[in-house]
Amino acid sequence: MAEQGLGVTDAEASASNGAEGEIRASSSRSPPSRSTWLFVRGLPWGSGPEEISAFFQPLTLEDVTLVNGLGGKPTGEAFVRLATLEDVTQALRYHMQMIGKRYIEVWESSEEDMNSRIKQTGVRDFSSGLVRCRGLPFTCSAADVVELFSSFGISEEQVTLGIHASGPFSGSPNGEALVNLGDYATAKKALAKVDMMTMGQRYIEIFLTSEAEKTSFEVPSLRERAEEVAEREGESLASLAATCLLRARGLPFSTTAEKVAEFFEGYSVEPQNVLMLHWIDGRPTGEALVWLPTAKLATDARKALHGQLLGKRYVELFPPGPTEVARALAAVTGTAVPMWVGGFQEMQQSCPAEDKAAAQSKW
């Protein structure tokens, strides 16, 4: 009678027993196998295997693999492998501990996760001995960087100055440089000696970097294009600048290199060929220097576009003067250049004397 009162049928009882059996079977299954790999995030960009190993002391790391971000950029991320699962448990206690002023995240991972990430963005390899300098004065030259690293006997050929490849400061120095010291051991010594040294009134930061990050220091296509034309025409870059360069005045202050390139549509001008000019405080001057592939295109563009509208402003186009040529050459070759131009300040460090003499004959 009690069973009837509860209204439990044989089918329901059988289903209930089956569910209980499934629960018991599920609870008896083995948990997913753990891996001895961990994912570490938040590392200082210049951190190498030694710094990561020191962070986990007294634990011993069997392997350290740093990974790149998109385009070879640093991410502050790495995968590390420990010897045992017990070590993994101990290592997870380092989660949110600090290296310098940075909190470091430590998460469980797997070799599959690491291989997938490497396939996407690649390994961050410091073996080539490259270091990245940040915080350089905008007027810094390759010779100044060589002097900064004077203890390591480098030449200017081992220095690549960083340049804004696009945007409102296109062609201007970005305060960074890449220095090739030849090998990892020398790069580590330079990191210890040069990091936070001063140049003028600025502290210079030094980071280990990888070959993959060299893409951000590649010279803009403007230089390659200009040198190709100069070689074909048998002229120096300065001579080329004096005939293939135009000074655009009256631009909207909000305009960009991309907009200026559109204004020159039909004359083979790319955004990389436009150098936007700014005052020393960063405000736009409403002017730009524009490289064209040939002297004929420069002449034709000036005739056709002088006095035309860009937005609501009439744009004036002029041949370059001595300062404009020097300014453009500095942007192309990566030599020192101030942030402003025109009759307000001459170049602190101009083009080579032989190039200047060649250019002056065409002014």
Side-chain angles (χ1 to χ4, degrees):
M1 293 293 294
E3 290 181 358
Q4 291 178 353
L6 291 173
V8 179
T9 64
D10 290 342
E12 290 172 332
S14 176
S16 176
N17 290 335
E20 290 176 3
E22 289 181 6
I23 294 172
R24 286 194 296 272
S26 176
S27 63
S28 64
R29 290 172 188 159
S30 300
S33 59
R34 296 177 68 194
S35 168
T36 55
W37 286 92
L38 294 175
F39 175 64
V40 183
R41 182 164 59 190
L43 298 164
W45 285 355
S47 296
E50 292 89 347
E51 288 78 14
I52 298 172
S53 296
F55 173 72
F56 283 101
Q57 286 183 351
L59 300 174
T60 300
L61 302 183
E62 298 286 312
D63 186 85
V64 177
T65 302
L66 290 102
V67 290
N68 287 321
L70 295 176
K73 296 290 186 181
T75 60
E77 298 174 351
F79 291 86
V80 301
R81 180 167 61 86
L82 293 105
T84 66
L85 292 177
E86 183 179 350
D87 286 347
V88 169
T89 301
Q90 294 293 326
L92 288 170
R93 296 177 181 174
Y94 289 76
H95 180 64
M96 300 310 290
Q97 298 299 308
M98 300 184 77
I99 293 181
K101 297 180 180 180
R102 299 184 66 103
Y103 288 98
I104 309 302
E105 300 175 52
V106 182
W107 304 96
E108 292 197 59
S109 187
S110 67
E111 188 172 6
E112 290 76 17
D113 290 342
M114 181 187 69
N115 290 334
S116 176
R117 176 61 182 276
I118 290 174
K119 186 176 180 180
Q120 293 176 16
T121 59
V123 174
R124 193 160 182 76
D125 180 13
F126 296 141
S127 61
S128 60
L130 293 172
V131 297
R132 182 173 187 160
C133 307
R134 187 170 68 183
L136 297 169
F138 293 124
T139 55
C140 176
S141 67
D144 295 325
V145 178
V146 169
E147 185 177 350
L148 184 68
F149 287 85
S150 58
S151 301
F152 300 92
I154 66 170
S155 65
E156 293 186 24
E157 286 71 29
Q158 293 168 263
V159 178
T160 304
L161 295 175
I163 296 175
H164 292 288
S166 61
F169 292 97
S170 175
S172 299
N174 63 9
E176 299 188 2
L178 199 67
V179 181
N180 188 344
L181 291 157
D183 58 73
Y184 176 70
T186 306
K188 287 290 291 183
K189 292 177 182 177
L191 186 67
K193 183 176 179 63
V194 180
D195 186 42
M196 300 311 290
M197 288 182 65
T198 58
M199 183 181 289
Q201 297 181 341
R202 304 195 63 161
Y203 287 98
I204 310 303
E205 297 177 277
I206 309 295
F207 305 95
L208 293 175
T209 190
S210 67
E211 287 283 347
E213 199 175 348
K214 288 180 69 174
T215 55
S216 64
F217 281 87
E218 289 178 351
V219 178
S221 61
L222 169 59
R223 178 173 187 169
E224 297 173 355
R225 189 175 187 181
E227 288 180 339
E228 180 183 352
V229 175
E231 182 178 359
R232 185 175 69 242
E233 300 296 331
E235 296 188 75
S236 69
L237 281 177
S239 298
L240 192 67
T243 57
C244 298
L245 189 70
L246 289 177
R247 179 177 183 175
R249 188 171 68 183
L251 301 169
F253 292 132
S254 60
T255 199
T256 63
E258 288 74 17
K259 292 294 184 182
V260 175
E262 290 177 11
F263 179 76
F264 281 86
E265 184 179 4
Y267 295 93
S268 300
V269 174
E270 301 292 335
Q272 297 94 321
N273 307 137
V274 179
L275 180 62
M276 305 299 296
L277 303 182
H278 296 77
W279 300 109
I280 192 170
D281 60 3
R283 291 181 298 115
T285 64
E287 299 187 11
L289 301 179
V290 184
W291 281 81
L292 291 101
T294 66
K296 184 179 186 304
L297 280 175
T299 300
D300 293 347
R302 186 185 174 209
K303 289 179 179 178
L305 300 177
H306 181 74
Q308 297 299 307
L309 285 168
L310 177 57
K312 296 181 179 181
R313 302 198 61 165
Y314 290 98
V315 177
E316 300 173 285
L317 299 177
F318 302 98
T323 303
E324 287 78 41
V325 170
R327 179 71 166 89
L329 285 172
V332 169
T333 60
T335 53
V337 60
M339 298 295 289
W340 62 106
V341 72
F344 307 100
Q345 176 165 328
E346 293 296 326
M347 290 290 298
Q348 294 180 0
Q349 182 173 331
S350 189
C351 54
E354 61 272 16
D355 283 350
K356 183 185 290 186
Q360 285 174 339
S361 66
K362 300 215 174 205
W363 292 334

